[in-house]
Amino acid sequence: MQRNRGQRGIVGLCLGIVSAGLAQATWATEPVALGITSTNDPACGTNMVAGSLRPQAPGTLKMVERLRTLKENADPRSTIFESDRLAELCRTSLPKATNSSQEFAVLFEYGKQLLQAGQSEDALKQFDLLEQRVTQAGGSITGRARVELRRRRAVAMLRLGEQENCLSNHNASSCLIPIQPAGFHHLPRGSRGAIALFSEQLAESPDDLSARWLLNLAYMTLGEYPDKVPGQWLVPPKVFDSEYTMPRFPDVAGALGLDVDNLAGGVIVDDFDNDGFLDVVVSAWGRNSQLRYFHNDGNGRFTERTAEAGLLGLTGGLNILQTDYNNDGLLDIWVMRGAWIGKAGRLPSSLLRNNGDGTFTDVTEEAGLLRFHPTQTSVWFDYDGDGWLDLFIGNETTDQKDPDPCELFHNNGDGTFTECASACGLAVKRFVKGVTWADYDNDGRPDLYLSCRDGANLLFHNDGPAPGAAPKSGKWQFTELAHHAGVTEPLMSFPTWFFDYDNDGWEDLFVCGYYIQNVGDIAADYLGMTNHGAYPKLYHNNRDGTFTDVTTNAHLNHLLLGMGCNFGDLDNDGWLDFYMGTGDPDFSTLIPKRMFRNAEGKFFQDVTTTTGTGHIQKGHGVAFADFDNDGNQDVYMVVGGAYTGDNYRNALFLNPGTTNHWAKFKLAGVRSNRAAIGARIKVTVETPAGPRSIYKTVNSGGSFGSSPLRQEIGLGNASRLTEVEVFWPTTGIRQRFDGLELDHAYFIREDQAKAEVIPLKRIHFDLQQQPVHNHLMQSRL
């Protein structure tokens, strides 16, 4: 989520009003800080898992109560995203206005907050009332005020159309651009109203690219694009053309009951009970938004087990990660809270221990991880090579006089952690939005990269133990080398990751820019015009500690405005592709998500339209994962915005598959960390063109969304799997396996010389079934 126009508190818009006795009057309300909450989930704070199920663990109950207390004590004026409560404040303040200027200011703000709270029709009524009251006062709304009021009305009409069609009558084609017939709006009043207002704006300001973009979108929702769009305002269909042909990936989340309707949040797709089937955990950032766990039953269905897992009342969290912090072979969950809301975001994150019986326990406090800093980005990695996963948290400092510094927690190997960031040279006080790690110089130690929204990005080289440090003390040295390595940009950035996109055995780096003035910048980029946005960077590893910016040569010089993100192999050709969830909190930022195919490590091709993945609602946590064990990676995305009324349904894009081969590897460390995070895999295959090597590091992918730790590797047109090599950085062990077969899954232990076949059961999803939604768990706020 982006903090620019429309996100600086309840901004005094300064509408100019020409009226009798009020020449060019203006109004403003007080700016506020940041935060979000909600009030309508009866499940939150429940002390029993459900009915006669076992009571929640004491640590969980304590965290539930802590979160509830923080929510109840929160001042709604400390946030700009909590629009339902802010709308109520506006309503109650209307009678207190002492003059026309104040009344007009409150009426406008009331309408804006109602829109952002999801009450589109009520918002339109308030905007109408505002205009009536100005007229009654003998005046008129002119200039910037008139333009802004028109824009708010038009956006409210667009949102009304979404609510009446895409949400109330949701289907697999809803909000996928270019919109197909099944996604057309059957109730047209919202889009018709928007078309009239945007046309009016363009008649006055033909160069308004924001209005032009949204006008085309409104026509598209009615099935009238491009034919009925006035030629001078048309965004040509060719700008959406894909650069490579791929089959369409249908959205099957609704059929599987995985289309959670909520706000912005994170996702983990992984096997939490070690039954060979990938489960799904999703979060949403509203303070009452319930963390939800969906068990993959292995029969084509998912069952929600949130209550049975002991998770009720654990709310909020913009991003989530899996880990195995205690090396017991069971994946645990890390929930990050407080992002984007400044000091109001001083909320605790949560470490949820997997108990191995289908339940989780919040062990944050007993593990020594209870802190109160705003964050949405962390990494689990073994920085000191002791076989236990450590935790680096990228916190968000918005006030250098009262900072929220980043933290490094050393795993003590006994279920507890010790904070040691400053001692290790990681005393960072920045607005950190993305953290990723890799051994970028292949020296056997994992390094850190920090993506920031307040200046140059940071690259910390892992130098090893501090002089005189005792073994297993966690006293380590990191040195900041971003400028030397050439990876400081973009200066306004968000998601990031390391991946070996060209299969040369060296980790490359991607970091996405995150700034626009308005949606007109996106339109300008599609139309090949100059704009004010922050572009991404793809850095190629030079193998000498430095990187080269290859963004333009890789065809990635697009304005992406990325939030959620991840990478995988869409067509199993052995080259890593990626999907970017795009957007920002502004209701008018309706832009396609972007899917990019890797063309043999040379450049990337936009395949958004051909794959049918150009969702225009706000995209957050993304995971690439083979949900049905057919060997092809599907893509799950959490969808929904920041304001309390900007909810939407999550999507699961099912991969139709190719003829290319694949292999899967589940690794288990013994002296290394049990989850094998950081282990490096090299797969050598024989192809018609000769031998080829494919590289993959065990991790969960990008900085916003978590793919499985079981590695899913495309092998292209391989005729034979020649060798698999696994390098364990902790021990320096290199295992080599031959005789493995194509299109199989294998289990590899650090201390065993033989890879064991995993007999994965293929799942056939019943896409005709009618999902049962648990409305108790369906809180959007």
Side-chain angles (χ1 to χ4, degrees), residues 380-395:
W380 291 87
F381 71 139
D382 184 5
Y383 76 86
D384 60 344
D386 65 355
W388 297 87
L389 289 171
D390 311 300
L391 173 64
F392 181 86
I393 306 175
N395 291 320

Side-chain angles (χ1 to χ4, degrees), residues 652-664:
L652 171 57
F653 297 107
L654 189 67
N655 192 328
T658 72
T659 58
N660 286 331
H661 295 288
W662 52 270
K664 300 177 188 293

Side-chain angles (χ1 to χ4, degrees), residues 42 100 109-110 120 124 219 265 357 367 371 403 531 552 598 600 661 668 769:
S100 296
E109 193 62 39
Y110 187 22
S120 303
L124 289 165
Y219 273 110
D357 59 0
R371 296 291 195 279
N531 59 79
T552 300
N598 186 336
E600 299 182 347
H661 295 288
Q769 65 177 300

Side-chain angles (χ1 to χ4, degrees), residues 283-345:
S283 68
W285 88 320
R287 289 200 178 173
N288 273 1
S289 295
Q290 174 65 52
L291 184 71
R292 301 178 67 178
Y293 171 48
F294 295 89
H295 181 261
N296 187 335
D297 298 332
N299 59 2
R301 296 175 180 269
F302 288 81
T303 300
E304 179 164 10
R305 293 188 179 174
T306 303
E308 293 84 347
L311 299 174
L312 288 188
L314 295 175
T315 55
L318 186 54
N319 197 7
I320 51 179
L321 286 169
Q322 76 273 52
T323 184
D324 183 0
Y325 78 97
N326 55 359
N327 282 342
D328 64 355
L330 300 166
L331 291 178
D332 315 297
I333 299 172
W334 173 245
V335 183
M336 291 155 274
R337 300 186 178 98
W340 289 113
I341 52 179
K343 296 175 185 178

Side-chain angles (χ1 to χ4, degrees), residues 440 459 481-488 539-540 542 544-548:
Y440 75 88
L459 175 65
L481 296 175
H483 185 268
H484 168 77
V487 293
T488 58
Y539 293 108
H540 181 261
N542 298 326
D544 61 0
T546 68
F547 294 78
T548 296

Side-chain angles (χ1 to χ4, degrees), residues 151-162:
R151 184 181 80 86
R152 295 285 180 176
R153 276 182 166 146
V155 172
M157 296 302 296
L158 275 180
R159 184 58 179 170
L160 180 63
E162 294 168 353

Side-chain angles (χ1 to χ4, degrees), residues 325-400:
Y325 78 97
N326 55 359
N327 282 342
D328 64 355
L330 300 166
L331 291 178
D332 315 297
I333 299 172
W334 173 245
V335 183
M336 291 155 274
R337 300 186 178 98
W340 289 113
I341 52 179
K343 296 175 185 178
R346 287 174 171 169
L347 305 170
S349 295
S350 283
L351 178 62
L352 308 179
R353 184 185 65 215
N354 187 335
N355 299 319
D357 59 0
T359 69
F360 295 82
T361 297
D362 192 305
V363 296
T364 312
E365 189 167 8
E366 70 179 69
L369 295 175
L370 184 62
R371 296 291 195 279
F372 295 85
H373 297 293
T375 184
Q376 73 163 73
T377 185
S378 305
V379 289
W380 291 87
F381 71 139
D382 184 5
Y383 76 86
D384 60 344
D386 65 355
W388 297 87
L389 289 171
D390 311 300
L391 173 64
F392 181 86
I393 306 175
N395 291 320
E396 299 179 357
T397 288
T398 54
D399 180 356
Q400 288 293 330

Side-chain angles (χ1 to χ4, degrees), residues 12-29 98-106 108 130 133-134 137-146:
L13 186 56
C14 298
L15 296 176
I17 299 176
V18 180
S19 63
L22 287 176
Q24 294 296 327
T26 61
W27 64 81
T29 51
T98 58
N99 55 54
S100 296
S101 181
Q102 288 184 5
E103 180 188 16
F104 300 154
V106 176
F108 177 81
L130 168 62
R133 298 305 294 269
V134 172
S140 61
I141 303 176
T142 62
R144 178 176 171 233
R146 186 165 175 264

